[in-house]
Amino acid sequence: MIKVGIIGAAGYTAGELIRILVHHPEVQIDYVQSESQVGKKVYDIHKDLIGDLELTFTGDISSEVDVVFICKGHGESRKVLVAHPELYQTKVIDLSQDFRLAGDHEFVYGLPEANAQAIGASKYLANPGCFATAIQLSLLPAVADGLITGDIHISGITGSTGAGQSFSETSHFSWRNNNASVYKPFTHQHLNEIGETFVKVNSGFDSSMHFIPYRGAFTRGIIITSYFETSASEEELNERYNAFYEHQVFTHVIDQNPDLKMVINTNKGVVYPTVIEGRAMIVSVIDNLLKGASGQAVHNMNLMFDLEPAEGLHLKPSNF
């Protein structure tokens, strides 16, 4: 059994992670850590876990496990590793943005559709961002095969859970409900990690990416629309996308316009490529908390421990 520790275990992504791992046939959750919830039962915070486990939040961090998931806010993971260098003795999967960009660290970028071999050989892994995952799934085949002419235009809408569990002016119900807004136009931080991946899969990639993110009036999920000029026909585009994702267990190319209910509560990414008057339009949808965070983290753990990629991740969507 793989012994797991979870650091920063009181938030949304940690809750999803526990829900997956508690039913994973190859995993034993050894500890769940949270400075703010020490002494409370996990199900006191993640209430739907009543009856699934009896673990209590601890304030202690241990490296005496096979893998540690760090579910802290951006900027906090580095602090955890500075304070607890002993964690480098075990495998680490970080869900923040702290180690996603190439630099002076040994973390491997954890997008399985682009980097499965390196993930399998890694000890320290940086899980991708949710918008970054959805955007990369929509564009990777076109980038890899050089099908893009000129700039790439992207818009994306995310649910309120993408902002995390902490209260903010734009995340509480009375503001978010029946509302929508643009944020971080053209400057979203996920563009940096996307650009690095695209250059890795195609060293000649030099298209500018123009991304407008939106806050949506729903809880979970991301829908991305990307478009660009191309000389490829719709038939050619679909052939390239199907070939690129042929062996990917979670990413599916379809021939109909997708919606969020296809993927909510699953680790699936659904991609719809089409060509309209010389422009390729790609729609992609994911669950931001699963394929965009905790589900992808478990997929990466499976690869790191040489398990089947979908082990413990046969999650079913709801049509309601």
Side-chain angles (χ1 to χ4, degrees):
M1 297 290 281
I2 300 168
K3 290 178 64 177
V4 168
I6 301 172
I7 298 172
Y12 287 143
T13 56
E16 293 294 324
L17 185 61
I18 296 167
R19 291 178 193 104
I20 297 168
L21 294 180
V22 75
H23 297 295
H24 194 297
E26 301 296 332
V27 165
Q28 173 191 333
I29 302 177
D30 188 72
Y31 70 87
V32 287
Q33 183 271 351
S34 170
E35 293 95 338
S36 62
Q37 307 298 337
V38 174
K40 294 181 181 178
K41 292 288 189 181
V42 170
Y43 58 69
D44 288 335
I45 303 302
H46 305 299
K47 296 183 183 299
D48 60 316
L49 287 169
I50 292 173
D52 288 329
L53 78 169
E54 291 293 326
L55 280 175
T56 299
F57 287 104
T58 179
D60 298 328
I61 290 174
S62 171
S63 63
E64 298 299 312
V65 291
D66 298 305
V67 60
V68 168
F69 291 86
I70 306 179
C71 301
K72 304 282 285 183
H74 302 313
E76 296 300 314
S77 295
R78 286 185 181 274
K79 295 177 184 178
V80 168
L81 290 169
V82 168
H84 297 276
E86 69 274 12
L87 291 175
Y88 285 111
Q89 298 170 16
T90 189
K91 293 182 187 291
V92 177
I93 298 175
D94 179 42
L95 280 81
S96 80
Q97 67 182 23
D98 290 14
F99 301 102
R100 290 174 187 160
L101 300 181
D104 57 348
H105 58 72
E106 301 176 61
F107 281 73
V108 168
Y109 187 67
L111 187 71
E113 288 79 4
N115 217 18
Q117 186 173 355
I119 292 166
S122 68
K123 187 172 182 181
Y124 314 124
L125 185 126
N127 215 55
C130 52
F131 263 135
T133 297
I135 292 170
Q136 287 173 103
L137 294 183
S138 77
L139 293 168
L140 269 172
V143 170
D145 288 343
L147 302 180
I148 299 171
T149 302
D151 292 357
I152 303 170
H153 302 272
I154 309 162
S155 61
I157 307 173
T158 186
S160 59
T161 52
Q165 195 167 1
S166 299
F167 178 82
S168 70
E169 180 182 354
T170 58
S171 65
H172 64 76
F173 177 81
S174 60
W175 187 92
R176 197 93 179 203
N177 190 46
N178 295 321
N179 202 5
S181 65
V182 170
Y183 74 108
K184 297 181 180 178
F186 307 123
T187 61
H188 197 282
Q189 67 274 13
H190 289 183
L191 288 172
N192 296 319
E193 60 189 272
I194 294 167
E196 287 195 353
T197 299
F198 287 173
V199 170
K200 285 181 181 178
V201 301
N202 184 342
S203 60
F205 175 78
D206 62 357
S207 296
S208 296
M209 293 181 286
H210 310 290
F211 176 38
I212 306 291
Y214 294 82
R215 303 178 181 95
F218 51 91
T219 303
R220 60 196 297 165
I222 287 176
I223 183 165
I224 293 290
T225 303
S226 305
Y227 70 90
F228 51 86
E229 303 287 337
T230 185
S231 60
S233 67
E234 184 167 300
E235 181 180 6
E236 182 181 8
L237 190 73
N238 274 275
E239 286 177 357
R240 299 290 184 90
Y241 271 71
N242 278 289
F244 191 93
Y245 290 125
E246 181 180 4
H247 301 295
Q248 296 300 327
V249 66
F250 291 116
T251 301
H252 307 280
V253 180
I254 64 173
D255 61 0
Q256 57 182 294
N257 196 13
D259 60 76
L260 285 177
K261 286 189 176 181
M262 290 180 172
V263 298
I264 297 304
N265 297 317
T266 80
N267 198 50
K268 296 177 183 178
V270 170
V271 181
Y272 167 58
T274 188
V275 176
I276 304 169
E277 297 182 351
R279 292 188 184 91
M281 183 189 76
I282 320 295
V283 181
S284 62
V285 291
I286 65 169
D287 185 315
N288 60 295
L289 292 177
L290 290 170
K291 180 59 175 167
S294 301
Q296 185 155 240
V298 174
H299 183 180
N300 285 323
M301 180 200 75
N302 288 340
L303 295 175
M304 293 167 76
F305 286 91
D306 200 26
L307 302 176
E308 288 297 318
E311 192 74 76
L313 283 166
H314 296 289
L315 311 172
K316 300 296 184 182
S318 169
N319 291 322
F320 301 100

